[in-house]
Each structure stands twice: as C-alpha cells, then as structure tokens.
Amino acid sequence: MQEVVLKCGAVRLVPFSRSDLSLVQDLHCDVSVDRYSSPDPAARSAEDVERFLAETEKSRDSYGFSRWKALSAEGRFLGWAGFSAFEETSEIELSYCFTEAALNKDPGLPCRMCQALVDWFFDNTYFSHLVAMVRTDNKAARDSLLKTGFAYRESRRIAGFPCDVFQMLSPAMQSYVMSA
C-alpha cells in the first residue's frame, strides 16, 4: 500500500516511484494534455521522464513535498499534482497535469485539487507564499487558480512562452498585510 500524502475527495496523491516512467510519459505524449505544459518542460522522452521522477524524489527529500501521482479510488492513474521549486525566483510553485479522461469525467477536479494543495501547503510548511505559473492562453488553469484564491502578480516569458504568474500569501501573511 502506498503512502497517501493527500486525499481530495476520491482522488489520492501518493509519491511517484521510478516504475511510473511509462505513466508519466504516456500522459505527456497526449497532445491534448501537453499543449500547456510549458513553462514546465514536457516529459515526452524517457530521459525527460527520468529527470521529472528524479526531481520529484529530490524535492521530497529536500523539502518534504513534491509533485505526486494522482490516483482514483480504483487506483487508476489520473495525472500528477503538487509542488516544485522554481529556481529562477527561488519560490515554490503549485502545478498539476491531469489526463483528458479525468478532466472529462470530473471538470471540477483542478479547482478542488488546487484548494486541497494550498491547504496542505500552508498547514505543513512555513513558506510565506505560493506561486503558480500558467501559459497566458491556458484559460482553464487561470480560472482554477483564481477560484482558489490566487491573485495575478505579473506576466513574464518563461521558457520562451508568455506566462502569467499568480501568487497566494499564507494565512499568516494575509493577516499581517491586512493589519498593516
């Protein structure tokens, strides 16, 4: 039985293992799923997936969090969700990627998952804020972030793509800002 890091309704987030290479590669080879993967380089080749899985392991060991495998109640792979360090700004970034079948079956999954991840992050870390970066043309991800309470911070080019950066302050920082 795999360790469950987070439950979001019937969806469980569990740590990736090196044996998940084909799941991640198949996910990112689906053009309908991968069309918005930049600024995060898509894991199309076996080498890309190995780097992705190594990064999740390193992040888990270094920070206590990472990107996790999303599984249905029946154990079906739905995609991934979680956190990574955005090296350019030394901030922690929330991101997710779900299969088209998971999104068709449950269109509200991204918004619920974002909320569950935000709650987990601020309950389990001492970071002052969390960021999320999405390509400017990814309306669905923008809507999920805004519904979750993220605020637009800036636009920038990341990996050659126009992206919007969203930010959410921790509850402690929100209280501090409101009292100032």
Side-chain angles (χ1 to χ4, degrees), residues 158-170:
I158 301 172
F161 291 92
C163 296
D164 291 330
V165 179
F166 293 85
Q167 176 177 293
M168 180 180 284
L169 298 177
S170 71

Side-chain angles (χ1 to χ4, degrees), residues 16-178:
F16 275 108
S17 69
R18 295 294 174 123
S19 64
D20 294 323
L21 189 130
S22 64
L23 293 174
V24 177
Q25 190 171 11
D26 289 348
L27 174 69
H28 286 283
C29 283
D30 182 341
V31 175
S32 65
V33 170
D34 203 49
R35 67 188 178 276
Y36 296 123
S37 67
S38 290
D40 187 39
R44 292 183 184 100
S45 71
E47 295 81 22
D48 292 335
V49 176
E50 286 174 4
R51 272 192 298 279
F52 175 88
L53 294 174
E55 178 188 300
T56 64
E57 191 174 296
K58 180 181 175 190
S59 178
R60 184 177 61 234
D61 294 345
S62 297
Y63 303 114
F65 54 77
S66 68
R67 292 172 176 158
W68 298 294
K69 178 172 45 173
L71 299 174
S72 69
E74 301 80 30
R76 191 175 63 257
F77 179 69
L78 303 175
W80 57 261
F83 312 99
S84 62
F86 183 62
E87 292 183 23
E88 187 176 316
T89 60
S90 298
E91 294 173 294
I92 304 302
E93 173 188 10
L94 177 145
S95 57
Y96 61 85
C97 183
F98 297 112
T99 65
E100 195 72 22
L103 294 175
N104 288 338
K105 184 175 181 180
D106 185 359
L109 177 60
C111 196
R112 287 193 322 279
M113 184 58 70
C114 283
Q115 187 63 60
L117 287 166
V118 164
D119 293 344
W120 184 95
F121 185 78
F122 290 127
D123 287 346
N124 291 282
T125 75
Y126 294 102
F127 287 92
S128 63
H129 69 284
L130 182 61
V131 297
M133 294 158 217
V134 298
R135 282 194 20 185
T136 305
D137 56 346
N138 189 344
K139 183 180 175 346
R142 293 171 57 86
D143 290 348
S144 291
L145 293 171
L146 291 170
K147 286 177 186 172
T148 304
F150 279 82
Y152 170 81
R153 186 175 87 184
E154 65 182 305
S155 293
R156 62 187 315 165
R157 290 191 82 71
I158 301 172
F161 291 92
C163 296
D164 291 330
V165 179
F166 293 85
Q167 176 177 293
M168 180 180 284
L169 298 177
S170 71
M173 285 300 293
Q174 288 178 26
S175 295
Y176 175 76
V177 168
M178 295 305 286

